[in-house]
């Protein structure tokens, strides 16, 4: 199966996602330039982290207009699994493929560290192999990851089970102290209504090898592989 | 236009009357204003190293692994598998004082360009920072700005800032130091040079447009500050990390195409430096027309265009007839490469503006014939008094636990977490050792290897004895990479000093360079490049002499990388080396007694070499669980720092130093600073192997205790001196910097 990693000008975690898919998991992987309009038969699309267009406007606000995003939207509309990581999540929000918006971190500083995430839902292509309620240790690295949505949207996301990951303590408790950026409801990741598009601020691709401090992110890639190979995308 | 060259004009250009006479002689005529400006930046201290060059030439720069020594944009050492580590350290001290965010950001941008200009993919950044005491509004503003600037640039471009060092001392209040090291990896056979070969080849400009920012940046960095320095703000450039990210990716792609002849970034002295240096290296000349240079502002003069230090610009020489291949790559990245000139046969820099000749200068006189000064030196008057330390005058020794608490809370020792978590230290997924967990290391993907790096310098030591202090800086950096299991293979230095025209400062400089030479020769570590930053003084007050050494080490098997964290109970703690228990120049003396006095610890370079070999060998054998060198705060602090990440405690018994039988014996054993000493936690069943290796190499080694429990229990000659919960000590250490900076 094949992962496509989209490269926007300013993407800087593209090589990391590619490395995880290709060298750690042994899958096919290909970079797709943002000016391309063809996803080259990819089974899974990853929008990687970074600073697309320098994030000089709002994060992700320019990248959403890249030609490739039409292909990503079409792919997701047919149920194709799409994962937006960090800046990729921000691009998905700006593109309207996910709901909500990002504010600057509550402490107003960029923040890079390992955090704990509780898996809230396992009914997505990227969490199917997780145990419900399990805790993953995965790094964050962002300055604008403070998730915000209006109360109506937030309630709908919660009611539909679209909140996929929440920041938590090592023991899995949802607490303010475990929230690295001030996100509403400790939200670290969400999915769309059809559950095939997932965005999260933490970086699972940085947590795929124990030598790097954690391999807890592997399960998300493995879930996607299962999803595709099992033909779950009907 | 007739130009009157008077003393005031020369002064504004930082040129002396004698230097002006040299210019007239070199040109065989009177320069015009543009030419005078070009000379002024090329002959500035920053570009010409005129006060330092004769001393730098004494440093060892060769070795079996050296692929590129000093003189290019960066140095390079062979790391096997046909690859080279390309690295250099560079300062941005003066701009960071004037405008902390942009000063630091553009410092990061500049050193990254030096690395990818060589054809290397940058994979790691480190920095060495010095600030005033963290309680003052000025220092807080500078710290906050510098850290944000480093983060803003490095995070955006996607190169991890994996470590470094930060020290606070009042002498840096008006002169912060911002030294940034970048390391990249290149194929040895694909290293690119900054040469303008091939007469007739077109010269291209690519990157950001040229503005009026940074004009005379190089001359600013070559002068002292006074009250009016904040007026120099327009001389500080503004960074655009997104533009540099595009340039980085596009240039690395361009370099794979053999239509590229040579490339150089426009750093200090901008277009002037890149055109004249590329010509000089190739024995050719470069002719450009400044009217063709993309400009951000209207009405710019050739003088301004040639001297601008606008960031994120590159100069390329391309094979005639194959321009379209290079242009197409830049177009892909939405960058526009613009032809601004041609390689010419005469070895001169010729500048036209709309075709009209505005400057014509022999390259050699700009690049190689800048004046060199052997400035007078004089033993500083302060030295005799400062080197004397009467322990008896210190009064009643403090309780060991009080000293431990005070040292853990010292901003020089406390965790720098508030700083490093603002840096993306994991992007590119190579970081094997996270901040506060040991010596920074990155793996080299596609190989079994890893590279360890350490930047170190101790201004207090160098103030008290510059030669010994410089030796200590080399030794500490080498020891740190050895603690990670690496063999030191190359070094870069950043020499930060006050005004070299004062003989006492020049003496500090000369002695420091001697010390670096001593240590690098003895330890077999070639210096492959570096940077000199002089005139670090404000209103007549200079910084401590602060040579900073960046040492790069190679780990053959990345899976054997060693950190500094105790992760298991029941392991033996081994003391390597013989602690001397010196208090001279120590952090203890500064924190507990408010003194910077005495003689810094002496470095025995033979012992240091043996210790480094032992640490690397033992790590390679897989018998080391954790290793930590003893530096600021001595063995007590070194041991404590190993316990903080996991909370697993230790019970160790430190030997009392031999020669000192005074009331401070216990404190000397705990907090005395000694070169050539390290603590090793042996892996399970590894103690015998470590001791045997130590015996073979002649390194004194003894088991002094074990890991386990949740307490930090430190004995001296069997007597318990400190017995504290690790959690309490860790909390002090973790929160102290934020508290002192007022950001908690």
């Amino acid at each position: 199966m094949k992962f496509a990693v989209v490269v926007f000008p300013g993407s800087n975690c593209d090589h990391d996602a590619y490395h995880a898919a290709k060298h750690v998991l042994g899958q096919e992987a290909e970079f797709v330039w943002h000016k391309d309009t063809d996803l080259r038969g990819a089974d899974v699309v990853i929008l990687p982290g970074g600073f697309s267009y320098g994030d000089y406007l709002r994060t992700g606000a320019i990248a959403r207009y890249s030609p490739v995003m039409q292909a990503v939207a079409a792919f997701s509309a047919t149920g194709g699994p799409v994962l937006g990581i960090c800046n990729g999540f921000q691009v998905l929000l700006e593109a309207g493929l996910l709901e909500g918006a990002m504010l600057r971190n509550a402490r107003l500083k960029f923040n890079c560290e390992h955090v704990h995430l509780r898996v809230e839902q396992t009914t997505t292509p990227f969490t199917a192999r997780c145990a419900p309620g399990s805790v993953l240790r995965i790094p964050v690295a962002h300055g604008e990851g403070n998730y915000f949505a209006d109360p109506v949207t937030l309630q709908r996301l919660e009611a539909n089970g679209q909140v996929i990951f929440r920041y938590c303590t090592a023991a899995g408790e949802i607490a303010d102290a475990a929230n690295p950026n001030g996100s509403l409801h400790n939200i670290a990741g969400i999915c769309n209504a059809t559950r095939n598009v997932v965005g999260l601020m933490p970086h699972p691709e940085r947590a795929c090898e124990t030598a790097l401090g954690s391999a807890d992110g592997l399960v998300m890639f493995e879930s996607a592989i299962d999803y595709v190979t099992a033909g779950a995308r009907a | 236009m007739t130009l009157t060259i008077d003393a005031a004009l020369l002064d504004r250009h930082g040129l002396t009357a004698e230097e002006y006479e040299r210019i007239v002689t070199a040109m065989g005529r009177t320069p015009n204003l543009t030419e005078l400006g070009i000379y002024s930046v090329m002959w500035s201290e920053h570009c010409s190293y005129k006060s330092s060059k004769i001393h730098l030439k004494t440093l060892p720069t060769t070795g079996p692994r050296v692929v590129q020594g000093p003189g290019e944009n960066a140095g390079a050492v062979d790391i096997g598998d046909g690859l080279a580590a390309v690295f250099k350290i560079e300062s941005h001290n003066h701009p960071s004082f004037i405008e902390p965010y942009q000063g630091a950001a553009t410092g990061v941008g500049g050193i990254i360009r030096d690395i990818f200009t060589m054809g290397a993919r940058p994979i790691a950044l480190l920095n060495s920072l010095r600030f005033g005491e963290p309680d003052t509004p000025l220092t807080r503003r500078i710290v906050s700005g510098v850290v944000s600037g480093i983060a803003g640039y490095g995070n955006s471009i996607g190169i991890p800032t994996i470590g470094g060092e930060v020290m606070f001392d009042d002498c840096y209040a008006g002169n912060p130091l911002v030294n940034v090291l970048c390391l990249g990896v290149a194929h040895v056979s694909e290293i690119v040079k900054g040469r303008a070969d091939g007469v007739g080849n077109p010269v291209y400009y690519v990157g950001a447009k040229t503005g009026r920012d940074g004009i005379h940046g190089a001359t600013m960095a070559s002068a002292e500050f006074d009250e009016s320095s904040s007026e120099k703000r327009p001389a500080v450039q503004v960074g655009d990390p997104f533009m540099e990210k595009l340039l980085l990716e596009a240039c690395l792609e361009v370099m794979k195409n053999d239509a590229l002849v040579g490339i150089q970034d426009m750093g200090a002295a901008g277009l002037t430096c890149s055109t004249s240096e590329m010509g000089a290296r190739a024995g050719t000349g470069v002719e450009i027309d400044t009217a063709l240079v993309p400009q951000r502002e209207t009405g710019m003069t050739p003088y301004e265009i040639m001297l601008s230090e606008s960031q994120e610009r590159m100069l390329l020489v391309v094979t005639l007839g194959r321009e379209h291949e290079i242009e197409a790559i830049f177009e892909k990245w939405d960058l526009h490469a613009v032809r601004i000139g041609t390689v010419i046969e005469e070895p001169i820099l010729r500048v036209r503006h709309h075709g009209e000749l505005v400057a014509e200068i022999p390259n050699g006189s700009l690049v190689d014939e800048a004046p060199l000064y052997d400035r007078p030196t004089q033993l500083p008057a302060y030295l005799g008094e400062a080197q004397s330390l009467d322990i008896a005058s210190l009064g009643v020794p403090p309780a060991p636990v009080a000293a431990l608490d005070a040292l853990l809370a010292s901003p020089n020792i406390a965790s720098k977490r508030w700083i490093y978590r603002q840096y993306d230290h994991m992007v590119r997924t190579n970081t094997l050792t996270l901040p506060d967990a040991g010596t920074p290391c990155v793996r080299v993907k596609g190989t079994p290897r890893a590279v360890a790096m350490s930047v170190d310098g101790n201004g207090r030591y160098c103030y008290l004895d510059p030669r010994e202090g410089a030796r200590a800086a080399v030794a500490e950096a080498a020891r740190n990479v050895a603690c990670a299991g690496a063999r030191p293979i190359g070094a870069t230095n950043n020499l930060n000093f006050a005004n070299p025209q004062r003989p006492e400062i020049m003496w500090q400089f000369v002695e420091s360079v001697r010390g670096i030479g001593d240590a690098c020769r003895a330890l077999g570590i070639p210096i492959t490049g570096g940077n000199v930053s002089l005139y670090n003084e404000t209103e007549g007050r200079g910084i401590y002499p602060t040579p900073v050494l960046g040492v790069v080490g190679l780990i053959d098997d990345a899976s054997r990388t060693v950190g500094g964290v105790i992760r298991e109970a029941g392991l033996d703690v081994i003391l390597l080396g013989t602690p001397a228990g010196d208090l001279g120049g120590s952090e203890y003396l500064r924190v507990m007694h408010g003194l910077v006095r005495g003689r810094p610890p002496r470095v025995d370079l033979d012992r240091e070499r043996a210790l480094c070999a032992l640490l690397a060998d033992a790590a390679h054998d897989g018998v080391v669980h954790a290793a930590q060198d003893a530096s600021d705060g001595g063995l007590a602090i070194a041991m404590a720092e190993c316990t903080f990440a996991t909370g697993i405690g230790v019970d160790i018994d430190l030997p009392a130093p031999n020669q000192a039988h005074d009331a401070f014996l216990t404190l000397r054993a705990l907090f005395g600073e000694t070169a050539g000493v390290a603590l090793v936690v042996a892996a399970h069943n590894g103690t015998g192997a470590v001791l045997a290796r130590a015996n073979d190499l002649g390194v004194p080694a003894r088991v002094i205790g074990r890991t386990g429990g949740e307490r930090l229990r430190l004995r001296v000659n069997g007597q318990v001196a400190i017995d504290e919960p690790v959690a309490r000590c860790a909390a002090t250490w973790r929160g102290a910097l934020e508290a002192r900076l007022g950001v908690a």
Side-chain angles (χ1 to χ4, degrees):
Chain A
M1 65 161 285
K2 185 166 165 185
F3 286 84
V5 178
V6 175
V7 182
F8 299 102
S11 291
N12 64 31
C13 303
D14 44 346
H15 286 267
D16 302 352
Y18 180 91
H19 173 77
K22 176 112 175 177
H23 300 123
V24 181
L25 285 145
Q27 301 298 316
E28 268 189 81
E30 195 168 347
F31 291 115
V32 175
W33 184 234
H34 76 116
K35 291 177 187 171
D36 290 350
T37 50
D38 172 13
L39 295 170
R40 318 229 182 127
D43 300 297
V44 179
V45 172
I46 297 178
L47 305 191
F51 286 69
S52 57
Y53 291 94
D55 282 348
Y56 290 151
L57 191 54
R58 286 188 318 279
T59 54
I62 301 179
R64 64 159 291 202
Y65 291 107
S66 280
V68 76
M69 287 307 293
Q70 286 178 23
V72 172
F75 178 75
S76 71
T78 62
V82 176
L83 179 65
I85 302 169
C86 197
N87 194 229
F89 183 13
Q90 294 163 339
V91 174
L92 290 174
L93 293 171
E94 287 288 336
L97 293 173
L98 291 173
E99 292 176 275
M102 288 298 171
L103 305 177
R104 284 191 70 192
N105 290 353
R107 277 193 292 256
L108 303 180
K109 298 282 186 200
F110 190 94
N111 186 25
C112 177
E113 62 185 343
H114 279 90
V115 299
H116 293 97
L117 303 182
R118 194 170 77 189
V119 180
E120 301 289 271
Q121 302 291 338
T122 58
T123 52
T124 79
F126 300 99
T127 52
R129 274 180 73 149
C130 300
S134 58
V135 175
L136 308 178
R137 185 169 172 273
I138 290 183
V140 288
H142 59 249
E144 290 187 28
N146 181 355
Y147 182 78
F148 178 85
D150 64 76
V152 175
T153 305
L154 198 59
Q155 197 186 2
R156 191 177 63 250
L157 291 176
E158 292 284 10
N160 291 345
Q162 287 174 250
V163 176
I164 309 302
F165 300 105
R166 277 185 233 275
Y167 301 110
C168 66
T169 65
E173 296 157 67
I174 307 302
D176 283 349
N179 186 340
N181 52 31
S183 289
L184 291 178
H185 295 199
N186 278 40
I187 288 173
I190 58 171
C191 71
N192 62 349
T194 48
R195 315 196 75 76
N196 59 315
V197 178
V198 172
L200 79 168
M201 288 311 293
H203 288 271
E205 84 284 11
R206 296 186 185 187
C208 288
E209 295 165 89
T210 50
L212 303 177
S214 171
D216 286 0
L218 268 182
V219 69
M220 292 184 60
F221 291 88
E222 289 165 348
S223 294
I225 294 166
D226 278 3
Y227 179 85
V228 171
T229 51
R233 177 185 166 191
Chain B
M1 183 182 78
T2 53
L3 173 72
T4 315
I5 293 180
D6 56 15
L9 184 69
L10 290 179
D11 194 48
R12 276 207 302 284
H13 283 83
L15 291 164
T16 66
E18 295 75 45
E19 286 170 347
Y20 176 68
E21 286 310 314
R22 271 181 92 113
I23 292 169
V24 174
T25 307
M27 297 189 71
R29 61 178 169 83
T30 307
N32 62 33
L33 185 62
T34 301
E35 290 165 338
L36 189 74
I38 286 171
Y39 269 106
S40 79
V41 288
M42 290 302 290
W43 285 15
S44 71
E45 191 66 61
H46 191 80
C47 290
S48 73
Y49 296 89
K50 58 190 170 189
S51 298
S52 58
K53 207 169 203 170
I54 62 166
H55 305 288
L56 298 177
K57 281 183 174 160
T58 66
L59 293 173
T61 57
T62 56
R65 287 187 179 272
V66 175
V67 173
Q68 179 63 58
E72 269 288 341
N73 289 294
V77 289
D78 195 318
I79 57 169
D81 300 310
L83 298 175
V86 178
F87 61 96
K88 198 169 91 166
I89 194 166
E90 180 101 36
S91 67
H92 238 207
N93 303 336
H94 299 86
S96 299
F97 173 63
I98 294 176
E99 213 303 284
Y101 184 98
Q102 293 298 346
T106 53
V108 174
I111 191 64
I112 292 171
R113 278 196 304 283
D114 279 337
I115 301 308
F116 76 73
T117 296
M118 299 283 290
R121 160 73 69 179
I123 62 167
L125 291 163
L126 286 88
N127 52 64
S128 174
L129 310 177
R130 299 289 183 281
F131 302 109
E133 294 290 349
D135 314 285
T136 69
L138 174 68
T139 293
R140 287 176 177 181
R141 185 180 74 85
I142 294 173
V143 171
S144 173
V146 164
V147 171
S148 298
I150 291 171
Y153 210 101
N155 297 351
S156 176
I157 200 167
I159 301 166
T161 300
I162 60 171
E165 51 151 21
V166 189
M167 305 279 270
F168 298 84
D169 190 290
D170 197 39
C171 75
Y172 303 107
N175 265 102
L177 302 185
V178 177
N179 295 180
V180 183
L181 183 152
C182 184
L183 181 137
V185 173
H187 287 281
V188 172
S189 60
E190 294 172 6
I191 286 180
V192 181
K193 304 276 173 84
R195 294 169 60 94
D197 286 302
V199 172
N201 278 335
V203 174
Y204 274 83
Y205 170 113
V206 68
K209 290 179 178 174
T210 295
R212 289 195 171 93
D213 52 335
I215 291 174
H216 279 300
T219 35
M220 174 187 82
S222 308
E224 298 166 34
F225 283 146
D226 54 31
E227 285 172 350
S228 67
S229 292
S230 53
E231 292 168 18
K232 293 192 175 176
R233 196 166 288 133
V236 178
Q237 316 88 326
V238 175
D240 178 354
F242 174 58
M243 172 62 83
E244 180 136 316
K245 171 70 173 168
L246 300 181
L247 274 179
L248 160 67
E249 298 298 339
C251 287
L252 289 179
E253 212 171 311
V254 159
M255 288 166 185
K256 291 195 189 335
N257 188 315
D258 65 0
L260 179 76
V261 174
I263 186 167
Q264 178 151 344
D265 78 300
M266 296 185 221
L271 201 46
T272 292
C273 186
S274 51
T275 47
S276 57
E277 282 191 357
M278 287 186 79
R281 286 199 193 101
T284 61
V286 168
E287 174 174 332
I288 61 168
D289 191 317
T290 47
L292 300 173
V293 171
Q295 292 157 46
R296 194 160 62 212
E297 301 171 54
T298 55
M300 287 187 71
T301 64
Y303 178 97
E304 291 171 326
I305 293 166
M306 290 305 291
L307 267 57
S308 166
E309 291 187 5
S310 290
Q311 296 288 293
E312 293 95 22
R313 302 178 300 159
M314 308 289 289
L315 193 74
L316 290 79
V317 174
V318 176
T319 304
L320 185 66
R322 297 181 62 188
E323 297 89 337
H324 59 282
E325 295 174 41
I326 301 299
E327 287 171 7
I329 295 170
F330 285 116
E331 286 297 331
K332 173 190 160 189
W333 291 93
D334 293 329
L335 296 168
H336 304 290
V338 178
R339 182 175 174 168
I340 62 165
T342 310
V343 179
I344 57 175
E345 195 168 357
E346 308 106 290
I348 57 173
L349 168 60
R350 183 181 292 141
V351 183
R352 296 182 184 277
H353 193 62
H354 293 292
E356 186 192 334
L357 188 67
V358 292
E360 191 170 73
I361 305 177
N363 280 327
S365 80
L366 287 174
V367 177
D368 301 322
E369 290 158 28
L372 293 183
Y373 295 124
D374 185 0
R375 297 196 185 277
T377 65
Q378 186 187 316
L379 196 68
Y382 72 83
L383 206 61
E385 166 69 14
Q387 284 182 341
S388 70
L389 173 63
D390 177 14
I391 296 291
S393 72
L394 298 179
V396 181
V401 70
L404 177 74
D405 285 346
L407 283 166
L408 289 174
S410 161
N412 292 340
I413 288 173
S415 171
K416 309 300 184 289
R417 179 168 171 262
W418 181 80
I419 293 172
Y420 69 68
R421 69 184 208 162
Q422 294 185 51
Y423 304 148
D424 189 338
H425 45 263
M426 304 178 197
V427 62
R428 302 202 66 77
T429 59
N430 295 319
T431 311
L432 299 178
T433 306
L434 297 172
D436 275 339
T439 306
C441 287
V442 286
R443 64 180 175 185
V444 181
K445 281 198 186 111
T447 79
R449 300 168 210 275
V451 175
M453 283 160 270
S454 187
V455 285
D456 294 283
N458 187 319
R460 288 195 312 271
Y461 287 4
C462 293
Y463 167 75
L464 296 169
D465 184 339
R467 186 165 184 174
E468 208 57 63
R471 288 155 60 110
V474 178
E476 188 184 346
R479 208 184 306 131
N480 278 335
V481 301
C483 279
R487 284 170 216 289
I489 56 170
T492 176
N493 57 8
N494 209 130
L495 308 176
N496 307 281
F497 290 81
N499 182 348
Q501 296 184 48
R502 291 201 282 134
E504 297 193 344
I505 301 299
M506 200 60 210
W507 181 84
Q508 293 174 339
F509 181 85
V510 172
E511 285 290 294
S512 295
V513 173
R514 276 201 186 123
I516 292 169
D518 296 342
C520 285
R521 270 186 293 275
L523 300 177
I525 309 174
I527 298 273
T528 62
N531 176 250
V532 178
S533 174
L534 301 173
Y535 299 94
N536 288 288
E537 56 183 76
T538 297
E539 290 168 26
R541 175 145 193 241
I543 59 165
Y544 287 150
T546 313
V548 171
L549 265 294
V551 169
V552 172
L554 183 62
I555 301 170
D556 289 328
D557 179 352
S559 70
R560 296 280 163 94
T561 300
V562 173
V565 173
I566 298 170
R567 300 187 188 277
E568 206 179 318
L571 301 177
D572 287 331
V573 179
I574 300 171
L575 172 66
L576 302 177
T578 309
D582 290 320
L583 294 181
S586 66
E587 181 71 4
Y588 164 83
L589 207 58
R590 193 185 78 90
V591 169
M592 298 306 291
H593 303 278
L595 294 175
V596 177
R597 289 189 80 98
R599 286 184 174 276
R602 292 195 67 79
V603 182
D604 182 326
L605 292 166
D606 290 333
R607 288 184 167 208
E608 203 70 56
R609 189 177 57 228
L611 176 66
C612 287
L614 169 60
L615 287 164
D617 287 350
H620 187 75
D621 293 346
V623 293
V624 181
H625 176 82
Q628 175 88 3
D629 92 311
S631 57
D632 290 277
L635 287 163
I637 295 298
M639 190 77 267
E641 285 177 346
C642 296
T643 67
F644 292 156
T646 59
I648 298 172
V650 290
D651 186 343
I652 61 167
D653 186 9
L654 295 168
N658 287 332
Q659 75 278 29
H661 293 285
D662 54 47
F664 284 78
L665 194 67
T666 300
L667 293 165
R668 285 174 182 277
L670 293 168
F671 306 114
E673 295 173 14
T674 308
V677 169
L679 292 168
V680 160
V681 178
H684 192 58
N685 289 332
T687 304
V690 175
L691 296 178
R693 278 262 183 209
N695 190 47
D696 292 347
L697 288 161
V699 176
R702 57 199 277 193
V703 176
I704 57 167
R706 310 202 90 187
T707 64
E710 295 173 349
R711 299 184 76 82
L712 180 66
R713 188 172 292 135
L714 308 178
R715 305 162 197 263
V716 176
N717 274 0
Q719 300 279 322
V720 173
I722 286 170
D723 187 1
E724 294 293 313
V726 170
R728 192 188 69 77
C729 299
T732 302
W733 173 78
R734 226 168 249 135
L737 182 61
E738 273 123 309
R740 284 292 298 277
L741 286 167
V743 292

